[in-house]
Amino acid sequence: MRNSTHQPWTRASRLALASVAALSATPSLATELRDPHLNFIPRTDEERARIAAVTASPEKFSAPQRFEELSAGAATVRVRTDADAFSQPSANISFEQELDFKVGNGLFKKIWVSSPSSTLASDGLGPLYNARSCQRCHIKDGRGHTPNGPDDNAVSMFLRVSIPGNPEDAPAKIEDYIATLPDPIYGGQMQDFALAGRPAEYRLSITYEEDPIELSDGEIASLRRPTYHAADLGYGRLHPDAMLSPRIAPQMIGLGLLESIPVEDLLARADPDDEDGDGISGRPNIVWSLEFGEPMMGRFGHKAGMPTVMEQSSAAFSGDIGISSPLYPAPFGDCTELQTNCIDAPHGDSDVRGFEIDQIGMDLVAFYSRNLGVPARRETDDPQVLRGKEVFHTSGCASCHAPVYVTHRMPDRTEHSFQLIWPYTDLLLHDMGEGLADNRPEARATGREWRTPPLWGIGLTERVSGHTQFLHDGRARSLLEAVLWHGGEAQAARDTVVSMPKADRDALIQFLESL
């Protein structure tokens, strides 16, 4: 989001010269950063110019843009009226690929059990964990939620934890990397469940204070300000310098398409030194890729801490469920050496079976995750929605929530290849102000920075997940509250929303609900 005194989407005009802009954005790394897909056809200058024209900001808002209703291009799926709206395969996968999608779905839903077990294909849970399946956090492939009252557990929500590291703990090839280490006892993530006979690491405790906000035309909104506490610690005290950060499971749709946006297009939108003076200084998170063994641009996670769907999925199996895989081979998951009853527990690795989920299984889970279809837009020609779209652009929201891209040409991934998509994100890090700060860095992301989340499908959250909780920790109970939490680089745009006529504010929300 940006100040309304600036013209929206100034970065879009630079896409025709994306490679030059990318070099200026991160001079030491731009020439080295690779895309997640190795097999793609490089663009010509002529093709870049055509893409820049197709993805340019609209000049008029009296009618929808061409193909705007197809959020994911040819991969777009029809809008279901039930809670399975996010659980459909991309519309353009082949008949043969549908089997891989269904088997991957089965692994995504699989309920893991403790070892040893007669169900050898499903044992290896924990010993410490947050959920027994991927689906338990990403319910219906949608957004997680905060605990519903003091007696509810925190399934689909947990606390990340780390302590400050030393410069030598940072990857040598990544500039501005903020070194951190896992907590010596609790590791990198707090698990609130454990196998029988072992204590869980903690219980997540949240308290809220209401903060009323006066808007124009007499409207009053209220923001709930959370305080988090790791209660009932099962293994002793946290490190005195421990940094805790809450996380809600995000929706799963469109991940393969986000992975297929050319890195040069994303870097072209970066302006870390705010050279154009618009107050927006998005920058890429650069992380070390276990999959490729080199620095890559982070795309996934609330702070863009993961570069690929495969790595994100493998890390979740390890940290959330305690399941080993080729990228995360520890059979005890996130347990530390000081948690000896966890390290010494039976596990599902074996000489015959190998990892608790092997590479074939991970490939199927990653295929499923990459190909959860994005539902079509609704009401794109509604006058109120069109007015809300205009407000979205003129208020500056599109500066970070960049609407549209064209993916790479990829002969081996035709379902993601050369698609015009509308995810509404730049996947870059932005300073969102003190109100949203978790004060915990992640790779190059500071304690005030967050990745711009994609907005596609956000209007279907209540249909899929049964709630309207937004932001990284679910504190916002509506889309309006989510907007009002914006600060830092988005402060001017947020203030514009506060002061605009209520009719325009309502139109903006209706536009967001159409995505």
Side-chain angles (χ1 to χ4, degrees):
M1 302 179 78
R2 86 162 55 165
N3 192 315
S4 59
T5 59
H6 294 280
Q7 292 297 316
W9 266 57
T10 58
R11 293 184 183 86
S13 62
R14 295 188 295 181
L15 285 179
L17 300 173
S19 60
V20 176
L23 289 172
S24 66
T26 52
S28 63
L29 278 173
T31 57
E32 301 175 13
L33 293 179
R34 74 161 72 203
D35 284 274
H37 304 309
L38 302 181
N39 186 19
F40 64 86
I41 300 172
R43 292 175 177 173
T44 64
D45 289 341
E46 179 183 2
E47 190 167 69
R48 285 194 181 96
R50 289 194 293 113
I51 290 171
V54 169
T55 58
S57 177
E59 297 180 358
K60 298 180 180 179
F61 297 91
S62 56
Q65 291 168 264
R66 194 178 184 192
F67 306 122
E68 190 175 2
E69 72 281 2
L70 298 176
S71 300
T76 306
V77 298
R78 65 182 179 87
V79 181
R80 293 182 61 127
T81 59
D82 58 17
D84 290 323
F86 287 173
S87 299
Q88 304 172 80
S90 296
N92 59 347
I93 65 172
S94 68
F95 178 78
E96 292 77 15
Q97 289 174 315
E98 287 187 18
L99 178 59
D100 289 341
F101 182 88
K102 291 175 181 178
V103 176
N105 185 18
L107 291 170
F108 195 82
K109 293 180 176 179
K110 175 189 279 194
I111 302 298
W112 294 85
V113 299
S114 60
S115 297
S117 171
S118 60
T119 56
L120 295 179
S122 299
D123 70 339
L125 174 68
L128 302 174
Y129 59 97
N130 295 105
R132 293 179 61 192
S133 74
C134 306
Q135 187 77 219
R136 289 285 180 93
C137 288
H138 303 277
I139 303 165
K140 291 289 185 179
D141 304 295
R143 193 179 305 270
H145 60 83
T146 59
N148 295 317
D151 297 327
D152 189 22
N153 60 45
V155 167
S156 77
M157 186 177 189
F158 61 78
L159 294 176
R160 291 210 184 280
V161 58
S162 57
I163 64 173
N166 299 310
E168 58 267 24
D169 298 319
K173 294 184 179 181
I174 304 179
E175 294 181 358
D176 301 323
Y177 194 99
I178 306 171
T180 60
L181 295 170
D183 182 271
I185 295 177
Y186 291 93
Q189 175 174 324
M190 303 288 286
Q191 285 88 22
D192 53 353
F193 290 100
L195 299 181
R198 295 168 179 83
E201 289 190 323
Y202 83 123
R203 175 179 57 84
L204 177 60
S205 173
I206 313 174
T207 57
Y208 295 100
E209 293 182 6
E210 292 292 333
D211 187 5
I213 304 294
E214 185 175 347
L215 311 178
S216 65
D217 297 340
E219 186 177 5
I220 302 293
S222 183
L223 305 184
R224 60 175 186 174
R225 190 176 301 274
T227 299
Y228 298 97
H229 181 61
D232 302 336
L233 292 173
Y235 295 85
R237 294 182 179 181
L238 286 159
H239 189 280
D241 297 324
M243 300 173 286
L244 300 173
S245 181
R247 293 290 192 275
I248 284 278
Q251 63 188 30
M252 294 289 295
I253 57 175
L255 300 186
L257 293 165
L258 294 176
E259 194 178 44
S260 302
I261 299 172
V263 68
E264 70 176 54
D265 289 1
L266 298 169
L267 291 178
R269 298 188 182 279
D271 187 14
D273 299 319
D274 193 21
E275 293 182 359
D276 60 8
D278 66 353
I280 306 299
S281 52
R283 63 195 190 99
N285 201 356
I286 309 299
V287 301
W288 185 261
S289 169
L290 292 177
E291 186 176 0
F292 290 94
E294 62 185 75
M296 291 181 66
M297 180 176 173
R299 299 175 187 240
F300 304 105
H302 292 291
K303 285 182 178 275
M306 285 290 171
T308 67
V309 172
M310 178 63 75
E311 288 193 51
Q312 177 71 29
S313 302
S314 300
F317 266 107
S318 178
D320 299 355
I321 315 177
I323 297 298
S324 64
S325 68
L327 287 181
Y328 287 81
F332 41 79
D334 189 47
C335 296
T336 67
E337 293 180 357
L338 296 179
Q339 294 170 320
T340 55
N341 65 346
C342 179
I343 296 289
D344 296 337
H347 57 75
D349 282 4
S350 69
D351 293 337
V352 176
R353 176 181 169 190
F355 303 106
E356 290 165 336
I357 182 169
D358 60 16
Q359 190 59 55
I360 294 175
M362 285 307 311
D363 288 341
L364 290 165
V365 170
F367 182 84
Y368 172 77
S369 301
R370 289 188 180 109
N371 287 287
L372 282 161
V374 180
R377 279 280 309 278
R378 285 86 55 211
E379 302 176 329
T380 56
D381 58 351
D382 182 276
Q384 183 84 341
V385 170
L386 290 169
R387 174 56 186 160
K389 177 183 174 182
E390 183 175 8
V391 171
F392 183 86
H393 280 263
T394 58
S395 298
C397 305
S399 294
C400 301
H401 291 284
V404 60
Y405 296 88
V406 174
T407 60
H408 266 308
R409 290 187 185 272
M410 297 171 291
D412 59 339
R413 292 194 180 176
T414 56
E415 66 274 15
H416 302 140
S417 180
F418 210 60
Q419 298 298 316
L420 180 70
I421 63 173
W422 304 76
Y424 290 87
T425 178
D426 59 11
L427 297 181
L428 298 176
L429 299 173
H430 294 275
D431 183 337
M432 296 302 294
E434 192 59 34
L436 286 178
D438 66 349
N439 300 309
R440 177 186 174 273
E442 186 172 335
R444 290 181 5 131
T446 70
R448 290 167 56 104
E449 288 182 314
W450 299 94
R451 181 202 68 160
T452 306
L455 297 182
W456 53 10
I458 199 168
L460 296 172
T461 298
E462 186 170 17
R463 183 178 303 180
V464 172
S465 302
H467 64 76
T468 55
Q469 295 181 4
F470 303 105
L471 300 179
H472 67 281
D473 57 359
R475 69 177 67 186
R477 295 162 294 188
S478 68
L479 290 171
L480 178 58
E481 285 187 29
V483 172
L484 295 177
W485 270 109
H486 284 53
E489 296 175 40
Q491 184 68 45
R494 175 263 189 199
D495 292 346
T496 298
V497 173
V498 168
S499 61
M500 68 177 51
K502 184 179 185 302
D504 283 349
R505 203 160 44 240
D506 291 344
L508 172 63
I509 299 304
Q510 187 167 339
F511 165 72
L512 294 174
E513 289 174 345
S514 78
L515 297 180

